[in-house]
């Protein structure tokens, strides 16, 4: 028998490990039932076409389930588990704490449309070729049939009045869904010859579009009402205590708000100083604003989608030649224009889950909003240099490469649950990391592109703290994005509004700071730059847990997160 003596008690380690593994399996199956969209997106296609039940009774039941699962996980003494399972226990408990925070503590189902929008995304059935088209059409029909009930639950759950930015987000996403259902989806399934299925599709799709149009109209009414609601128009603020708890429960970051702000302002000042140096080299005698304008004028030929496609090969080649991090597998990413309902984000990547095999990831780039002025639309398109580091962030060596690693993690929990701070922290860290490794050959124009991305994330960090723990207004946040991140007016508006409904978007810079400090500490006694590949591979091998847990696993301590 594989046993250890703990005090006077003999512990059967193999039995404890087996009990833990059974618990993980039970936990995941329960999670998939409660979040069928998550399960289907991960590649468990027996859950296709289903949406969560968002009725008040079901939300209460989900909270009770999560509390019970956390209590069960806490019963396992980590000292009786091997290193991998003890780490997995910490990650699982963070997943539960994070879900409970958004569900109960922050009351996101009652307050924020973003709680629902990700689950409503039908792209799984439309863009991932995981099954014959007719099978995916069947799944989409089931999904469309579930939309009217979901739309009703969303409207019943959300409290009014809501902040204008929340209402505008809801109107844009649900209106985008309706338009996408009607304008784009029919052509995708036109080749299916099953006439009965086609008739069922038309009926379900029309009902789904109508439900989303009505929900979008309701959100527009809420946005209009927010304009006359006085202080309620800005009732998005979490407050210092709730914001600090968000970081503890979702990212395991237990640092004072003062220390957080000091670290963010120090990073912003560092990048602004570096920008001035880069501009002096690129455009001597010009102001920083004039320098930016010159870089911004150099747009990618053929548009950003074509430009990003050209950039992928060079980025991958650099990662391989410099031995920065291992590339497991031969998967590639495609670049496409973002669908209408997802254009609140300028660029993002959709990566198949760990149960899928050999499916492409899709890096989406949003076109300008046609309602903007022609000048704003032209400014919104990123420059060639800016786009290069957006592509690095999304694909090589950012999100896409990170998910190649996490999808191969030994732990099933690690493969499935990749946190905000880890994913965005790694992707943002990787932008500066390749520049430090020599990417671009020191070209100051490209360095300005890297710094533009860094400053955008730095201002998000400061804005998140200001909007949610201070008295920063949306208008002041917008001005910060224009004056300190050098964003065009449309992007600045979009970024400031996002800070109200996505308070965690400080995680880009927060995660980067934690990764950079961990690299400095871990490689200091292991050869410095020569140990980067080993460091990156070890950090990514954990999947996507909170970075403090990775630090504890690699360094044996959690302190010194930010330097």
């Amino acid at each position: 028998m594989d046993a250890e003596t703990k005090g006077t008690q003999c512990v059967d380690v193999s039995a404890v490990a087996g009990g833990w593994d059974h618990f993980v399996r039970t936990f995941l199956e329960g999670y998939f039932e409660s979040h069928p969209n998550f399960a289907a997106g991960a590649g468990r296609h027996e859950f296709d076409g289903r949406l969560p039940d968002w009725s008040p009774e079901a939300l209460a039941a989900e909270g009770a389930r999560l509390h019970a699962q956390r209590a069960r996980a806490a019963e396992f003494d980590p000292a009786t588990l091997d290193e991998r399972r003890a780490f997995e226990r910490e990650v699982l408990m963070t997943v539960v704490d994070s879900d409970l925070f958004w569900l109960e503590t922050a009351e996101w189902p009652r307050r924020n449309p973003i709680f629902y929008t990700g689950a409503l995304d039908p792209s799984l059935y439309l863009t991932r070729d995981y099954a014959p088209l007719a099978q995916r059409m069947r799944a989409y029909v089931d999904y469309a049939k579930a939309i009217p009930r979901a739309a009703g639950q969303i409207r019943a759950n959300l409290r009014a009045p809501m902040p204008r930015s929340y209402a505008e987000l809801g109107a844009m996403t649900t209106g985008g869904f309706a338009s996408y259902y009607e304008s784009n989806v029919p052509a995708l399934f036109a080749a299916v010859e099953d006439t009965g299925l086609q008739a069922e599709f038309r009926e379900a799709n029309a009902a789904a579009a109508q439900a989303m149009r009505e929900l979008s109209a309701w959100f527009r009414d809420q946005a209009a009402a927010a304009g006359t609601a006085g202080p309620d128009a800005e009732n998005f603020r979490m407050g210092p205590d709730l914001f600090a708890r968000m970081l503890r429960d979702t990212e395991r970051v237990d640092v004072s708000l003062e220390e957080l702000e000091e670290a963010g302002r120090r990073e912003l000042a560092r990048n602004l100083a570096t920008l001035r140096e880069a501009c002096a080299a690129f455009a001597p005698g010009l102001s920083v604003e004039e320098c930016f304008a010159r870089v911004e004028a150099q747009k990618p030929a053929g548009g950003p989608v074509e430009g990003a496609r050209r950039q992928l090969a060079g980025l991958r080649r650099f990662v391989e030649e410099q031995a920065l991090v291992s590339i497991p597998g031969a998967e590639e990413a495609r670049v496409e224009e973002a669908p209408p309902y997802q254009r609140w984000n300028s660029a993002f990547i959709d990566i198949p889950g760990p149960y899928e095999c050999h499916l492409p990831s899709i890096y989406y780039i949003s076109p300008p909003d046609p309602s903007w002025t022609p000048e704003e639309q032209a400014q919104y398109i990123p420059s060639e240099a800016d786009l290069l580091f957006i592509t690095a962030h999304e694909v090589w060596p950012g999100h896409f490469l990170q998910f190649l690693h996490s999808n191969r993690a030994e732990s099933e929990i690690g493969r499935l649950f990749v946190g905000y701070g880890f994913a965005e922290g790694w992707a943002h860290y990787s932008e500066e990391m390749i520049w430090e490794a020599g990417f671009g050959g020191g070209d100051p124009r490209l360095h300005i592109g890297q710094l533009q991305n860094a400053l955008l994330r730095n201002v998000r960090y400061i804005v998140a703290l200001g909007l949610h723990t201070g008295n920063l207004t949306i208008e002041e946040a917008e001005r910060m994005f224009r004056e300190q991140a050098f964003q065009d007016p449309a992007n600045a508006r979009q970024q400031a509004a996002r800070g109200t409904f996505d308070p965690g978007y400080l995680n880009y810079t927060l995660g980067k700071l934690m990764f950079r400090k961990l690299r400095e500490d871990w490689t200091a006694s292991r050869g410095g730059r020569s140990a980067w590949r080993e460091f990156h591979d070890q950090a990514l091998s954990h999947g996507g847990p909170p970075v403090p847990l990775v630090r504890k696993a690699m360094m044996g301590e959690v302190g010194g997160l930010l330097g």
Side-chain angles (χ1 to χ4, degrees), residues 298-313:
Q298 301 180 35
K299 305 294 186 181
V305 170
E306 288 301 321
R309 287 171 179 163
R310 290 192 298 271
Q311 293 167 347
L312 290 177

mmCIF file of all heavy atoms in Angstrom, residues 298-313:
data_model
loop_
_atom_site.group_PDB
_atom_site.id
_atom_site.type_symbol
_atom_site.label_atom_id
_atom_site.label_comp_id
_atom_site.label_asym_id
_atom_site.label_seq_id
_atom_site.Cartn_x
_atom_site.Cartn_y
_atom_site.Cartn_z
ATOM 1 N N GLN A 298 0.761 55.232 -41.226
ATOM 2 C CA GLN A 298 1.248 54.085 -42.002
ATOM 3 C C GLN A 298 0.355 52.880 -41.718
ATOM 4 O O GLN A 298 0.645 52.057 -40.868
ATOM 5 C CB GLN A 298 2.708 53.809 -41.666
ATOM 6 C CG GLN A 298 3.626 54.994 -41.947
ATOM 7 C CD GLN A 298 5.075 54.705 -41.609
ATOM 8 O OE1 GLN A 298 5.562 53.583 -41.770
ATOM 9 N NE2 GLN A 298 5.797 55.715 -41.141
ATOM 10 N N LYS A 299 -0.753 52.811 -42.435
ATOM 11 C CA LYS A 299 -1.748 51.756 -42.246
ATOM 12 C C LYS A 299 -1.352 50.496 -43.010
ATOM 13 O O LYS A 299 -0.655 50.562 -44.028
ATOM 14 C CB LYS A 299 -3.127 52.232 -42.713
ATOM 15 C CG LYS A 299 -3.616 53.519 -42.067
ATOM 16 C CD LYS A 299 -3.883 53.356 -40.578
ATOM 17 C CE LYS A 299 -4.512 54.615 -39.984
ATOM 18 N NZ LYS A 299 -4.770 54.493 -38.545
ATOM 19 N N PRO A 300 -1.802 49.328 -42.558
ATOM 20 C CA PRO A 300 -1.472 48.082 -43.264
ATOM 21 C C PRO A 300 -2.121 48.033 -44.646
ATOM 22 O O PRO A 300 -3.317 48.319 -44.782
ATOM 23 C CB PRO A 300 -2.012 46.990 -42.345
ATOM 24 C CG PRO A 300 -3.030 47.678 -41.490
ATOM 25 C CD PRO A 300 -2.583 49.095 -41.334
ATOM 26 N N ALA A 301 -1.356 47.700 -45.634
ATOM 27 C CA ALA A 301 -1.882 47.589 -46.993
ATOM 28 C C ALA A 301 -2.955 46.515 -47.050
ATOM 29 O O ALA A 301 -2.785 45.413 -46.509
ATOM 30 C CB ALA A 301 -0.747 47.259 -47.968
ATOM 31 N N GLY A 302 -4.090 46.846 -47.682
ATOM 32 C CA GLY A 302 -5.173 45.881 -47.799
ATOM 33 C C GLY A 302 -6.046 45.792 -46.566
ATOM 34 O O GLY A 302 -6.971 44.980 -46.525
ATOM 35 N N GLY A 303 -5.768 46.603 -45.540
ATOM 36 C CA GLY A 303 -6.561 46.591 -44.323
ATOM 37 C C GLY A 303 -5.935 45.735 -43.237
ATOM 38 O O GLY A 303 -4.994 44.964 -43.478
ATOM 39 N N PRO A 304 -6.454 45.843 -42.006
ATOM 40 C CA PRO A 304 -5.831 45.139 -40.882
ATOM 41 C C PRO A 304 -5.919 43.619 -40.958
ATOM 42 O O PRO A 304 -5.018 42.926 -40.485
ATOM 43 C CB PRO A 304 -6.577 45.688 -39.664
ATOM 44 C CG PRO A 304 -7.856 46.242 -40.193
ATOM 45 C CD PRO A 304 -7.560 46.725 -41.573
ATOM 46 N N VAL A 305 -6.989 43.081 -41.542
ATOM 47 C CA VAL A 305 -7.093 41.617 -41.631
ATOM 48 C C VAL A 305 -5.992 41.068 -42.527
ATOM 49 O O VAL A 305 -5.277 40.126 -42.164
ATOM 50 C CB VAL A 305 -8.492 41.201 -42.128
ATOM 51 C CG1 VAL A 305 -8.535 39.713 -42.449
ATOM 52 C CG2 VAL A 305 -9.551 41.544 -41.086
ATOM 53 N N GLU A 306 -5.835 41.664 -43.702
ATOM 54 C CA GLU A 306 -4.766 41.216 -44.609
ATOM 55 C C GLU A 306 -3.397 41.481 -43.991
ATOM 56 O O GLU A 306 -2.478 40.666 -44.129
ATOM 57 C CB GLU A 306 -4.898 41.930 -45.955
ATOM 58 C CG GLU A 306 -6.065 41.461 -46.794
ATOM 59 C CD GLU A 306 -5.999 39.972 -47.117
ATOM 60 O OE1 GLU A 306 -4.893 39.461 -47.371
ATOM 61 O OE2 GLU A 306 -7.048 39.314 -47.075
ATOM 62 N N GLY A 307 -3.258 42.630 -43.326
ATOM 63 C CA GLY A 307 -1.976 42.934 -42.704
ATOM 64 C C GLY A 307 -1.601 41.935 -41.637
ATOM 65 O O GLY A 307 -0.450 41.480 -41.562
ATOM 66 N N ALA A 308 -2.559 41.548 -40.794
ATOM 67 C CA ALA A 308 -2.275 40.574 -39.742
ATOM 68 C C ALA A 308 -1.907 39.217 -40.329
ATOM 69 O O ALA A 308 -1.034 38.520 -39.799
ATOM 70 C CB ALA A 308 -3.481 40.446 -38.817
ATOM 71 N N ARG A 309 -2.557 38.841 -41.412
ATOM 72 C CA ARG A 309 -2.221 37.553 -42.044
ATOM 73 C C ARG A 309 -0.764 37.529 -42.494
ATOM 74 O O ARG A 309 -0.081 36.501 -42.371
ATOM 75 C CB ARG A 309 -3.153 37.309 -43.235
ATOM 76 C CG ARG A 309 -4.582 36.949 -42.833
ATOM 77 C CD ARG A 309 -5.517 36.941 -44.026
ATOM 78 N NE ARG A 309 -6.885 36.564 -43.620
ATOM 79 C CZ ARG A 309 -7.969 36.777 -44.358
ATOM 80 N NH1 ARG A 309 -7.876 37.373 -45.542
ATOM 81 N NH2 ARG A 309 -9.158 36.413 -43.906
ATOM 82 N N ARG A 310 -0.288 38.663 -42.986
ATOM 83 C CA ARG A 310 1.109 38.715 -43.436
ATOM 84 C C ARG A 310 2.081 38.647 -42.260
ATOM 85 O O ARG A 310 3.220 38.215 -42.419
ATOM 86 C CB ARG A 310 1.356 40.003 -44.225
ATOM 87 C CG ARG A 310 0.683 40.058 -45.586
ATOM 88 C CD ARG A 310 1.210 41.229 -46.406
ATOM 89 N NE ARG A 310 0.938 42.519 -45.773
ATOM 90 C CZ ARG A 310 -0.175 43.234 -45.967
ATOM 91 N NH1 ARG A 310 -1.117 42.779 -46.789
ATOM 92 N NH2 ARG A 310 -0.343 44.390 -45.361
ATOM 93 N N GLN A 311 1.655 39.088 -41.096
ATOM 94 C CA GLN A 311 2.571 39.186 -39.951
ATOM 95 C C GLN A 311 2.809 37.864 -39.234
ATOM 96 O O GLN A 311 3.821 37.704 -38.547
ATOM 97 C CB GLN A 311 2.015 40.205 -38.943
ATOM 98 C CG GLN A 311 2.012 41.635 -39.451
ATOM 99 C CD GLN A 311 1.190 42.563 -38.580
ATOM 100 O OE1 GLN A 311 0.419 42.111 -37.720
ATOM 101 N NE2 GLN A 311 1.325 43.866 -38.784
ATOM 102 N N LEU A 312 1.903 36.908 -39.396
ATOM 103 C CA LEU A 312 1.951 35.692 -38.575
ATOM 104 C C LEU A 312 3.234 34.895 -38.770
ATOM 105 O O LEU A 312 3.853 34.446 -37.793
ATOM 106 C CB LEU A 312 0.734 34.815 -38.868
ATOM 107 C CG LEU A 312 -0.610 35.344 -38.382
ATOM 108 C CD1 LEU A 312 -1.730 34.398 -38.801
ATOM 109 C CD2 LEU A 312 -0.611 35.513 -36.873
ATOM 110 N N ALA A 313 3.638 34.689 -40.010
ATOM 111 C CA ALA A 313 4.792 33.822 -40.269
ATOM 112 C C ALA A 313 6.061 34.389 -39.648
ATOM 113 O O ALA A 313 6.868 33.652 -39.053
ATOM 114 C CB ALA A 313 4.971 33.623 -41.769
#
